[in-house]
């Protein structure tokens, strides 16, 4: 499972690294240390926290969220696989994006819950890039 540094987690949550550190210190985000002593957040834990944060509206601290070239970097929070089609949800800061794509595309990208990914939006289509 992929893990994220506090800085990476902060970027995916749309908050400052200091805010993510305070949340970790308060026990809101579960962290562990790697062999180098860096604090890391498990991808699944970050995905669950990100989705919960968006539902509660707690991430809205007045910071403007922007989309450069309609790219939304975030974390995969859910994947529903069918025989042919799939549904992938990404939480990008306060934005929840859902893309319908082929099961084959999900498998080729190796997408998993807790993985960092970027949703690219053009008109009514959402494309997923693995980052």
């Amino acid at each position: 499972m992929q893990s994220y540094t506090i800085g990476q987690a902060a970027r995916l949550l749309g908050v400052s690294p200091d805010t993510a550190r305070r949340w970790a210190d308060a026990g809101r985000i579960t962290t562990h240390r790697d062999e180098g002593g860096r604090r890391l957040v498990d991808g699944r834990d970050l995905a669950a926290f990100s989705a919960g944060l968006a539902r509660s509206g707690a991430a809205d601290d007045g910071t403007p969220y922007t989309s450069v070239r309609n790219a939304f970097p975030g974390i995969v929070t859910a994947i529903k696989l069918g025989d042919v089609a799939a549904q992938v949800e990404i939480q990008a800061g306060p934005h929840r994006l859902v893309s319908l794509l082929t099961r084959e595309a999900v498998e080729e990208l190796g997408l998993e819950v807790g993985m960092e990914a970027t949703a690219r939006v053009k008109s009514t289509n959402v494309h997923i890039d693995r980052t």
Side-chain angles (χ1 to χ4, degrees):
M1 174 49 57
Q2 186 167 350
S3 292
Y4 298 92
T5 65
I6 290 291
Q8 291 170 322
R11 182 176 54 79
L12 293 169
L13 294 169
V15 299
S16 73
D18 286 337
T19 296
R21 277 188 209 94
R22 282 192 297 274
W23 286 346
D25 291 343
R28 290 185 65 194
I29 301 174
T30 303
T31 63
H32 62 278
R33 296 212 182 254
D34 67 6
E35 55 280 349
R38 296 182 310 162
R39 277 205 296 197
L40 300 176
V41 180
D42 178 74
R44 287 192 183 274
D45 292 340
L46 184 60
F49 182 79
S50 177
L53 189 65
R55 279 192 300 275
S56 71
D60 189 13
D61 61 357
T63 305
Y65 293 96
T66 63
S67 168
V68 178
R69 294 188 182 164
N70 298 321
F72 294 84
I75 188 165
V76 177
T77 57
I79 298 175
K80 296 176 187 166
L81 293 175
D83 291 336
V84 177
Q87 178 179 308
V88 176
E89 294 183 24
I90 292 180
Q91 193 69 45
H95 309 290
R96 176 179 164 265
L97 297 112
V98 178
S99 179
L100 300 177
L101 56 162
T102 65
R103 179 187 182 116
E104 181 181 9
V106 171
E107 291 169 350
E108 285 179 6
L109 289 169
L111 294 175
E112 300 179 357
V113 170
M115 175 179 282
E116 186 175 358
T118 300
R120 297 194 187 278
V121 180
K122 179 176 182 192
S123 186
T124 59
N125 297 315
V126 177
H127 303 265
I128 306 294
D129 295 342
R130 181 175 174 180
T131 50

